[in-house]
Amino acid sequence: ECLKKYGTRVYTQIIACFEALPLAALLNAGGQRFLALHGGIGPDIHTVSDIEGVLRFTQPDAKGSLCDILWADPVEPPSEQSPLARRNFLKSDLVGEFSPNTTRGCSVRYGYRAVCSFLRDNGLTLLIRGHTVQKEGICHHDFGQSSSPLVITVFSAPNYCDRYENKGAIMFLHPNGTYSSTAYMWVDHPWYLPRFQSAIEFSLPYLTSVASTLLGIFLKSFRRTHNKVEAMLAVLRSFKQLEEKRKRSDSVAVRPMYESLKKNNTSIGD
């Protein structure tokens, strides 16, 4: 979309600005410290200073600290809520330090002990991150071990990729160290033509077809009568017939086509 509307120069400048964004933010409120970052922590990230030392003006590899900050996920408890499934989960290595992130195909999943160590060693209360779609826009991760969350996922994009039908959420960190959140639904995209065409680009094939048809009628009539006036009258009659045909077919073809385009537009992704 950016390349189509604005060109390569604007696109590359946006990428350069994106790479310049900080990898994390350290927040202080009510005597507590909170670390906000996109994905999470990894085995080579032990302190906040380790994050400050990561070179961000580059594309991330499939592993390493930059990849972990952007792509790591907290371990998720099993969706099955049976006591046996919960016991097996709590006994497994998944709630420990780090494990391969097979869902993403890169980076790691960080568990309860890894998060506790990082929070303790850095004097932090909470990790705040995004990166993972949440049905209600926000998720509190306690790893089945803690009475309060150690990690909170805040996902601000509602109906992600136009297919998840999830809510978006915003988290508010208050001066006294407490926090709250609000969730919101999505709205439909503004209507636009396929492939972001302009009205001229979209109409040109139709106009070319009509012009070719009328020119053919003019030449055919002129060859038959050798009279320019008669040929022009034939063109005008044909144009009137085309216009009446278009009006008759409007409710049958044009409007369903418009609705189809509109439906397709609302399913194009992020």
Side-chain angles (χ1 to χ4, degrees), residues 14-31:
I14 289 174
I15 295 301
C17 290
F18 185 79
E19 289 181 346
L21 292 173
L23 293 174
L26 191 60
L27 310 171
N28 295 278

Side-chain angles (χ1 to χ4, degrees), residues 64-106:
S65 295
L66 179 58
C67 180
D68 295 334
I69 292 168
L70 299 175
W71 284 92
D73 294 302
V75 168
E76 296 287 350
S79 56
E80 185 183 353
Q81 296 300 316
S82 69
L84 178 60
R86 183 176 178 83
R87 282 197 302 272
N88 290 338
F89 170 72
L90 294 178
K91 290 179 181 179
S92 70
D93 292 336
L94 293 177
V95 295
E97 297 290 336
F98 298 97
S99 57
N101 195 333
T102 55
T103 302
R104 304 283 186 187
C106 65

Side-chain angles (χ1 to χ4, degrees), residues 2 25 73 129 162 181 183 204 222 233:
C2 182
D73 294 302
R129 45 95 65 181
D162 289 335
S181 64
L204 194 58
F222 183 74
L233 288 174

Side-chain angles (χ1 to χ4, degrees), residues 191 194 202 245-265:
W191 190 83
F202 184 74
K245 183 178 179 181
R246 186 194 67 79
K247 288 180 179 179
R248 287 196 303 270
S249 64
D250 181 60
S251 59
V252 177
V254 177
R255 285 179 182 170
M257 180 185 71
Y258 172 86
E259 294 299 328
S260 176
L261 290 172
K262 185 176 180 182
K263 182 179 179 182
N264 289 337
N265 284 339

Side-chain angles (χ1 to χ4, degrees), residues 193-235:
L193 293 170
R195 301 183 299 282
F196 308 105
Q197 292 175 304
S198 66
I200 294 176
E201 291 174 316
F202 184 74
S203 304
L204 194 58
Y206 171 76
L207 294 175
T208 302
S209 175
V210 171
S212 299
T213 300
L214 296 180
L215 179 61
I217 293 171
F218 175 84
L219 294 175
K220 182 178 180 181
S221 177
F222 183 74
R223 282 196 298 267
R224 188 178 69 251
T225 64
H226 298 285
N227 188 317
K228 293 182 179 179
V229 175
E230 285 295 329
M232 286 302 301
L233 288 174
V235 168

Side-chain angles (χ1 to χ4, degrees), residues 105-156:
C106 65
S107 188
V108 296
R109 288 188 177 276
Y110 46 95
Y112 173 74
R113 286 194 294 273
V115 173
C116 285
S117 297
F118 185 81
L119 295 178
R120 182 188 64 247
D121 295 345
N122 292 275
L124 297 170
T125 301
L126 192 66
L127 288 183
I128 305 169
R129 45 95 65 181
H131 191 40
T132 308
V133 177
Q134 302 298 327
K135 189 66 177 177
E136 297 301 320
I138 193 166
C139 180
H140 298 76
H141 305 270
D142 60 13
F143 301 93
Q145 302 273 353
S146 175
S147 58
S148 58
L150 304 175
V151 179
I152 294 182
T153 296
V154 185
F155 198 82
S156 59

